Amino acid sequence: MTAGEPGAVQDGSSKGGLRAALGGLTTRGRSFLAAGVAAAVCAYVLGQGDLLRVGLLLAVLPLVCVVVLYRTRYRVTGTRRLSPSRVPAGAEARVHLRMDNVSRLPTGLLMLQDRVPYVLGPRPRFVLDRVEAGGRREVSYRVRSDLRGRYPLGPLQLRLNDPFGMCELTRSFSAYDTLVVVPRTVPLPPLRLAGEASGYGDGRQRSLALAGEDDIIPRGYRHGDDLRRVHWRSTARYGELMVRREEQPQRARCTVLLDTRQVAYAGAGPDSAFEWAVSGAASALVHMLERGFAVRLLTDDGNAVPGEGSDGFAGSTQESAESAGLMLDTLAVVGHSDGGGLSRAHDVLRGSNEGLLIAFFGDLDEEQTSVAARMRQRAGAGVAFVLDSARWTGDTSPAGQAAPARAEERLRRLREAGWTAVPVPPGAELPALWQLAGQLRADTESAGSGGPTGFPGGWS
């Protein structure tokens, strides 16, 4: 992606005019000016004409440099390109800068500086030699962040100096780019679990099987339709050419639910429980999209991504990459919600059969455990990864020591409601927990227990 900063830099058009240029005097320039004024005063007091001439020379030199630098007419354009513009946390992106001299005069020595947030690293600075008329210079630097988010890059700045180092002026472009640092994702193992029900499982094979006889409701002929599909009886009835409508295969659905309640997590930073849950949700939705599922991301406050269209899920296979990017961009900036409950997410899930529900929960109290248990009733299958903040923060208080027993009780209630509930210890690897969830589900199915099944065909 190229974010152009096409505005030319003209050194005579900075805000503040000549007064701002005087503010650009360097330490050397201010020293010369002060020495010149002091020498002129001493020459006046002592009546020394030679000293007065020296003082005037010292005082005038930095002022002349300010005026010359202020009136310099450089016209320079800058372009920034990110490669790539979306990176996972901990990965590097390269920023390419190009400066073009679009004037008929060569430039002097230029110092190029790009403004970047502190978390991306030190501010990059480059010294550019004389750029000939119509010439260009290209430089690049790398940025990296362990924290997800959206970070602005720019505006680009040019620092101009006179040959004597008396004055330094800074000119800025107006445009900037945005680097999106998304959560880390890890590849997950494909799983195949037993059971049959509609709406989930071996999605692509089941979708093909569902595509049977053509829909008996015809539609109007469109340019390019196969004439062999003309429905002559409807054509005679409506007086226009009608064709048989082909049934569209259904895609298996999956909802990834992320619990963002502030009361459900303790600690902060890249290794916190909340960041693990965000990274886990990102890995799960990318994995399910790659397996051919129609996926949406849902948070505890009821917001769904990619959107509330006809069904709120990602569309066709061609849109999977775009949908994944949209959901990852949302996870890049997701924060804690102010609400304290899961009721709004439950209301969204109550609207229709969701197929597979993959949830990442923080701490659950008695009330929220009941709400989470009811969520399972509207899903073909439910897999819950539950994080216990007391274990993640190493709480050794009496309340922290009693937390494991309460967490185990919450897991038991979720399993009784039909969830495949997996506890997440500190530093756990999601692929191993994913495999464990698949084994737990397979054991439950083989034992013929575990609450309502309705689990259609497999988990892959």
Side-chain angles (χ1 to χ4, degrees), residues 199-272:
Y200 183 56
D202 195 358
R204 282 170 288 190
Q205 284 78 359
R206 290 185 57 83
S207 296
L208 293 176
L210 288 175
E213 296 295 329
D214 295 335
D215 193 343
I216 61 173
I217 302 177
R219 60 169 176 82
Y221 175 81
R222 299 171 186 169
H223 179 72
D225 285 339
D226 191 347
L227 292 178
R228 290 175 296 182
R229 306 196 63 82
V230 173
H231 194 270
W232 296 109
R233 182 178 302 176
S234 298
T235 299
R237 177 182 302 175
Y238 294 104
E240 60 177 317
L241 203 58
M242 307 291 290
V243 296
R244 296 190 298 274
R245 190 180 298 176
E246 294 182 354
E247 183 177 349
Q248 298 297 323
Q250 299 178 0
R251 299 183 73 202
R253 292 181 173 185
C254 174
T255 297
V256 178
L257 172 62
L258 175 62
D259 180 8
T260 65
R261 296 172 299 128
Q262 189 170 10
V263 298
Y265 300 94
D271 298 326
S272 64

Side-chain angles (χ1 to χ4, degrees), residues 264-409:
Y265 300 94
D271 298 326
S272 64
F274 180 65
E275 292 301 323
W276 192 98
V278 173
S279 177
S283 301
L285 67 87
V286 170
H287 176 76
M288 301 310 292
L289 280 172
E290 291 176 348
R291 305 301 295 180
F293 283 73
V295 181
R296 74 172 174 182
L297 172 68
L298 180 66
T299 58
D300 59 287
D301 55 9
N303 293 327
V305 181
E308 299 295 345
S310 58
D311 55 8
F313 289 81
S316 62
T317 305
Q318 292 78 4
E319 299 173 353
S320 294
E322 180 180 351
S323 300
L326 180 59
M327 288 184 277
L328 289 176
D329 288 349
T330 301
L331 290 176
V333 296
V334 69
H336 290 296
S337 63
D338 296 332
L342 301 169
S343 58
R344 282 178 287 185
H346 173 263
D347 294 339
V348 175
L349 294 172
R350 189 170 53 185
S352 61
N353 193 331
E354 301 300 321
L356 173 64
L357 177 59
I358 303 175
F360 293 84
F361 291 123
D363 290 334
L364 297 172
D365 57 19
E366 189 77 18
E367 179 182 357
Q368 301 311 314
T369 302
S370 299
V371 176
R374 293 196 300 271
M375 289 181 181
R376 171 62 182 82
Q377 299 173 2
R378 301 304 304 173
V383 182
F385 298 93
V386 185
L387 293 87
D388 182 7
S389 294
R391 297 183 62 186
W392 279 78
T393 58
D395 188 1
T396 58
S397 64
Q401 294 177 356
R406 293 196 302 270
E408 187 60 34
E409 174 63 19

